[in-house]
Amino acid sequence: MSIYGAIRSPRAIYFGAGQRHALPAIVAGLGQRVLLCSDERFNQDPKLSAIRAALEGAGLRTELYDGTIAELPLACIAEATAKARAFGPDVIVGIGGGSCLDLAKLVALTLTHGDELSKFYGEFKVPGPVLPVVAVPTTAGTGSEVTPVAVLADPVRISKVGISSPYLIPEVAVCDPELTSTCPPGLTAVAGADALTHAIEAFTAIKHPMDPGRALQQVFIGKNTQSDAQARIAIAALAGNLAAAVADGGNAAAREQVMYGALCAGQAFGVAGTAAAHAIQYPVGALTKTAHGLGVAVLMPYVMDYNRSACGPEFAEIARLFGITQGEEAQLADAAIEAVAELFATLGIPRTLAELGVPVERLDWVAEQSLLSARLVNNNPRPLDLAAMQQIVQAAHAGDRDRLRRH
């Protein structure tokens, strides 16, 4: 028997243009006092401010926290939690990009289980259910609306840290592609590139033998039948539509496909996990303060070249999902890596870590720090040690993928 998988998902996912108009009925089924977690764009975007008006028009009490800061420093989380505690919400609605959704999860966690977040760092540390969260993404990238992960910045840690637990999966996800219509081209590109790396790393993650206890002991269980199905959908949707959405933000059909791809990528990596590109991005992001999606996109072609010997069939399938059908498996695998690299170049993603501002003298430090993300390192399909990390980082800094093909 070869079918093995797990599904962890919100209780309900509502996807489609205009689905935001169902929020009053959805939220009323969960509580009467609603904390909205968003950022400064909330009152500047008529579509978003109309959501609050609709909730209040349905008789719900609302409170707004619009101070979300990207990367979620602990001070931001504490401020939002204090406002939430004074209000006493029954349900929390996260509206915005990934940081807004992660903040909603973390406020729900602290209100339920206490303010000391460090005791929840890692996997399966959350002791039980949290306040219900409704996630309403306005970007198409992180997949946080369906994942068991919240990421934050702890000043005592060099890199960002994550809390991973099935209890952090939102109760409901409402994905309305019309809410991405004002997302600028640069953010559309970086968010979409992030989603594509999620899908590729989930699809090519290590495949473990079937173990009936694995999904009960690990949040991320590696490549499996269920995550593969979602990853395929995501790769095809993003490969065929991301460039069009970036080129023309008013292309509603492309926007819809990109948001659907990001959603499916989130469902894929929320079970399978990600790997080396994400491990390396953590210290790169800490060093350069560049956006997470930008860093993983720069790294993805180099990681693919390193992993090629372990992922020939998967890479060949990725090529076919990009619309490339001619050639033997080895040729298709090479074509897949080139297709990803060229798509990212078309989107304006830099080709090297040097362009992100990583100094050459810090490359060994980046490699060493990358290895500390044991969950991501162990999820990579080809084994990683310090020498391997150094090879990837040096190649990505120099823009020389050929050196990875020689190893």
Side-chain angles (χ1 to χ4, degrees), residues 375-391:
R375 170 180 60 82
L376 302 173
V377 169
N378 294 336
N379 209 40
N380 201 67
R382 185 179 172 194
L384 290 164
D385 57 16
L386 180 58
M389 280 296 194
Q390 289 171 330
Q391 288 174 15

Side-chain angles (χ1 to χ4, degrees), residues 65-404:
Y65 177 79
D66 60 358
T68 305
I69 300 171
E71 314 300 337
L72 288 187
L74 284 175
C76 172
I77 301 166
E79 183 180 68
T81 300
K83 190 166 192 175
R85 188 166 281 121
F87 175 64
D90 305 313
V91 57
I92 300 176
V93 178
I95 304 178
S99 291
C100 296
L101 307 188
D102 282 1
L103 179 65
K105 296 177 182 181
L106 293 170
V107 171
L109 172 60
T110 55
L111 289 180
T112 310
H113 298 295
D115 292 358
E116 184 49 60
L117 287 173
S118 62
K119 66 184 179 183
F120 306 122
Y121 293 172
E123 294 190 31
F124 277 119
K125 301 290 181 62
V126 177
V130 303
L131 279 180
V133 172
V134 177
V136 187
T138 62
T139 62
T142 69
S144 182
E145 64 272 15
V146 293
T147 69
V149 184
V151 178
L152 63 141
D154 185 328
V156 305
R157 305 290 184 107
I158 293 174
S159 299
K160 292 187 295 182
V161 293
I163 299 174
S164 302
S165 167
Y167 291 123
L168 292 187
I169 299 172
E171 183 78 4
V172 179
V174 177
C175 303
D176 185 339
E178 290 180 347
L179 294 179
T180 70
S181 63
T182 58
C183 192
L187 181 55
T188 300
V190 170
D194 189 20
L196 185 55
T197 63
H198 290 156
I200 292 172
E201 290 213 295
F203 191 60
T204 58
I206 192 169
K207 186 173 183 179
H208 296 288
M210 186 181 296
D211 178 350
R214 188 179 303 280
L216 303 178
Q217 299 160 359
Q218 297 175 212
V219 175
F220 304 105
I221 65 171
K223 176 183 178 65
N224 62 86
T225 306
Q226 296 293 344
S227 63
D228 279 358
Q230 296 294 332
R232 289 186 186 97
I233 295 170
I235 293 167
L238 293 161
N241 295 278
L242 180 53
V246 172
D248 178 10
N251 185 331
R255 287 279 193 193
E256 181 179 67
Q257 286 291 320
V258 169
M259 179 171 252
Y260 190 55
L263 168 70
C264 293
Q267 290 184 292
F269 94 84
V271 174
T274 52
H278 280 72
I280 301 170
Q281 162 54 22
Y282 280 128
V284 168
L287 194 62
T288 64
K289 309 304 180 187
T290 49
H292 169 81
L294 194 64
V296 292
V298 170
L299 289 159
M300 193 72 256
Y302 300 95
V303 170
M304 291 178 75
D305 265 307
Y306 175 79
N307 286 335
R308 190 194 178 291
S309 62
C311 299
E314 287 81 9
F315 284 178
E317 188 164 358
I318 289 170
R320 289 188 283 268
L321 293 168
F322 266 78
I324 304 166
T325 58
Q326 299 299 314
E328 300 296 325
E329 180 181 287
Q331 295 169 313
L332 289 171
D334 288 339
I337 303 171
E338 294 302 326
V340 171
E342 289 308 311
L343 173 58
F344 288 166
T346 298
L347 300 178
I349 302 293
R351 289 183 180 270
T352 70
L353 291 179
E355 293 173 71
L356 293 185
V358 177
V360 66
E361 64 270 16
R362 299 305 299 276
L363 294 183
D364 284 346
W365 177 86
V366 169
E368 292 163 3
Q369 292 296 315
S370 301
L371 286 174
L372 298 180
S373 297
R375 170 180 60 82
L376 302 173
V377 169
N378 294 336
N379 209 40
N380 201 67
R382 185 179 172 194
L384 290 164
D385 57 16
L386 180 58
M389 280 296 194
Q390 289 171 330
Q391 288 174 15
I392 297 170
V393 170
Q394 289 165 6
H397 191 270
D400 182 9
R401 285 168 34 218
D402 285 341
R403 72 172 63 180
L404 294 168

